[in-house]
Amino acid sequence: MPIILSRRSLLAGGAGVLALSVPGLSRAEAGVTLRAAKYKGREDNLLRAAGQLDTPYTLSFGEFASGNVIVEAMNAGAIDVGSMSEIPPVFAAASGARVKAVAIIADDVNNQVILVPKDSPIRAPSDLAGKRVGYVRATTTQYYLARILKAAGLSFADITGVPLTPADGRAAFDQGAIDAWAIYGYSVPITIAASGARVLVTANGYLSGNYIYAARAEALDDPALSAAIGDYLLRIKRAWAWQQAHLEDWATIFSGAIGVPRDIVLGQLRNASQPNDLRPVTDDAVASVQAVADTFIELGLVPGPIDVAPLFDRRYGDLLAKSA
């Protein structure tokens, strides 16, 4: 069973993390501990299901709810490696956080949408003018909402933007306190099933589909930890290949871990815009994060100018270019 850690305990040094090691390791191998961030039910269960937990080092997991907190924990020295959207690296660049983006994740964007109530008169993004629109501040939802508005000839100044946590957003949407809701993940199918909400537009075409695997800069400076991070990334890549070949099995495992009905999990897996994969850093990937940074500068959320290129470290390119 995954152990959930508080943000305070992680930033204090990660005491009590779930350690996953292999019996019989030599002392030298067992002396390396890689501290990886995970999201509820994901990385540890996926690696286990795919047979990828036989690491030649101790692997410990700390559970997080967002990429921004993972960056904070890395900068505090509590976590060595973890995944996130393209948004947290922008804030890392703005704050000077000691974090490096080391790999690119291909992930779903069909699960990031703008929802409206089933009987709403809103039929197109241009109809959002003058409406109350909920979103999660400083996340992909704010980014793709800004891009969708711009494509419709609007801006945040033309709507009443309401920053809300996912839980508060669901309550506001159900109560009619907002007219539309930019949201992601399992909140989407669960809300649709509960209220008949409609998808106004998905983020497909507005988000790149790229996410980031990042590492603590000091961990990359340590040869043993750097090697462990490379091995871990390759295991994640293999595990995602297993997932794609075993969607039904993974849906059973993941639904049990997060408490979401299996049919909803399986439906989202099958409806994904692209299968999960782990890829090398490319110039296009760097340019995509730069575009995110430029948008957040326009929104006044981070001071500019920002050059995101120094955030990226391409040392694992050859490794990740190999087949899983």
Side-chain angles (χ1 to χ4, degrees), residues 159-235:
I159 66 170
T160 299
V162 186
L164 298 163
T165 65
D168 290 342
R170 172 68 191 278
F173 187 82
D174 288 346
Q175 295 165 11
I178 53 177
D179 302 301
W181 186 25
I183 191 57
Y184 47 68
Y186 291 103
S187 294
V188 176
I190 290 173
T191 302
I192 291 172
S195 68
R198 288 189 290 109
V199 174
L200 178 68
V201 62
T202 76
N204 202 341
Y206 299 97
L207 289 177
S208 67
N210 291 343
Y211 294 74
I212 302 293
Y213 244 105
R216 184 171 60 92
E218 288 79 4
L220 294 172
D221 291 338
D222 181 307
L225 274 175
S226 179
I229 290 168
D231 178 82
Y232 177 76
L233 294 175
L234 195 54
R235 289 170 187 273

Side-chain angles (χ1 to χ4, degrees), residues 37-60:
K38 55 160 280 188
Y39 295 100
K40 184 176 181 180
R42 287 188 188 273
E43 287 80 357
D44 54 340
N45 284 324
L46 180 59
L47 289 168
R48 183 180 294 110
Q52 292 297 315
L53 274 180
D54 56 335
T55 56
Y57 45 85
T58 299
L59 180 58
S60 68

Side-chain angles (χ1 to χ4, degrees), residues 70-71 74-75 84 92 96-101 214-217 310-312:
I70 290 174
V71 167
M74 280 186 189
N75 203 41
M84 58 200 65
R98 294 279 295 155
V99 173
K100 294 291 184 180
R216 184 171 60 92
L311 278 175
F312 289 84

Side-chain angles (χ1 to χ4, degrees), residues 24-298:
L25 294 177
S26 71
R27 287 188 178 183
E29 291 171 319
V32 175
T33 297
L34 180 65
R35 301 166 301 169
K38 55 160 280 188
Y39 295 100
K40 184 176 181 180
R42 287 188 188 273
E43 287 80 357
D44 54 340
N45 284 324
L46 180 59
L47 289 168
R48 183 180 294 110
Q52 292 297 315
L53 274 180
D54 56 335
T55 56
Y57 45 85
T58 299
L59 180 58
S60 68
F61 282 106
E63 185 170 302
F64 292 82
S66 74
N68 287 328
V69 182
I70 290 174
V71 167
E72 184 180 348
M74 280 186 189
N75 203 41
I79 287 291
D80 299 313
V81 64
S83 65
M84 58 200 65
S85 75
E86 292 178 304
I87 312 302
V90 170
F91 287 88
S95 66
R98 294 279 295 155
V99 173
K100 294 291 184 180
V102 294
I104 304 302
I105 304 166
D107 207 344
D108 185 23
V109 296
N110 284 341
N111 66 351
Q112 307 219 29
V113 309
I114 297 177
L115 289 177
V116 295
K118 62 180 179 181
D119 56 354
S120 172
I122 298 171
R123 295 291 171 178
S126 57
D127 296 332
L128 294 172
K131 298 296 193 277
R132 299 160 299 176
V133 184
Y135 63 94
V136 186
R137 188 178 185 276
T139 68
T140 52
T141 65
Q142 189 168 13
Y143 175 65
Y144 69 72
L145 177 57
R147 292 201 60 196
I148 289 169
L149 290 171
K150 186 173 183 178
L154 303 173
S155 71
F156 261 82
D158 296 305
I159 66 170
T160 299
V162 186
L164 298 163
T165 65
D168 290 342
R170 172 68 191 278
F173 187 82
D174 288 346
Q175 295 165 11
I178 53 177
D179 302 301
W181 186 25
I183 191 57
Y184 47 68
Y186 291 103
S187 294
V188 176
I190 290 173
T191 302
I192 291 172
S195 68
R198 288 189 290 109
V199 174
L200 178 68
V201 62
T202 76
N204 202 341
Y206 299 97
L207 289 177
S208 67
N210 291 343
Y211 294 74
I212 302 293
Y213 244 105
R216 184 171 60 92
E218 288 79 4
L220 294 172
D221 291 338
D222 181 307
L225 274 175
S226 179
I229 290 168
D231 178 82
Y232 177 76
L233 294 175
L234 195 54
R235 289 170 187 273
I236 290 289
K237 183 177 177 72
R238 292 179 185 135
W240 275 333
W242 175 90
Q243 174 187 300
Q244 190 60 26
H246 301 84
L247 289 183
E248 293 198 2
D249 292 335
W250 174 240
T252 299
I253 295 166
F254 193 42
S255 66
I258 63 175
V260 173
R262 181 181 181 276
D263 61 334
I264 289 179
V265 173
L266 185 58
Q268 197 163 86
L269 288 169
R270 287 175 169 166
N271 188 51
S273 58
Q274 61 182 335
N276 287 129
D277 192 14
L278 202 57
R279 300 169 179 170
V281 173
T282 64
D283 291 344
D284 285 346
V286 176
S288 179
V289 175
Q290 186 65 57
V292 173
D294 294 343
T295 297
F296 274 81
I297 291 168
E298 291 176 10

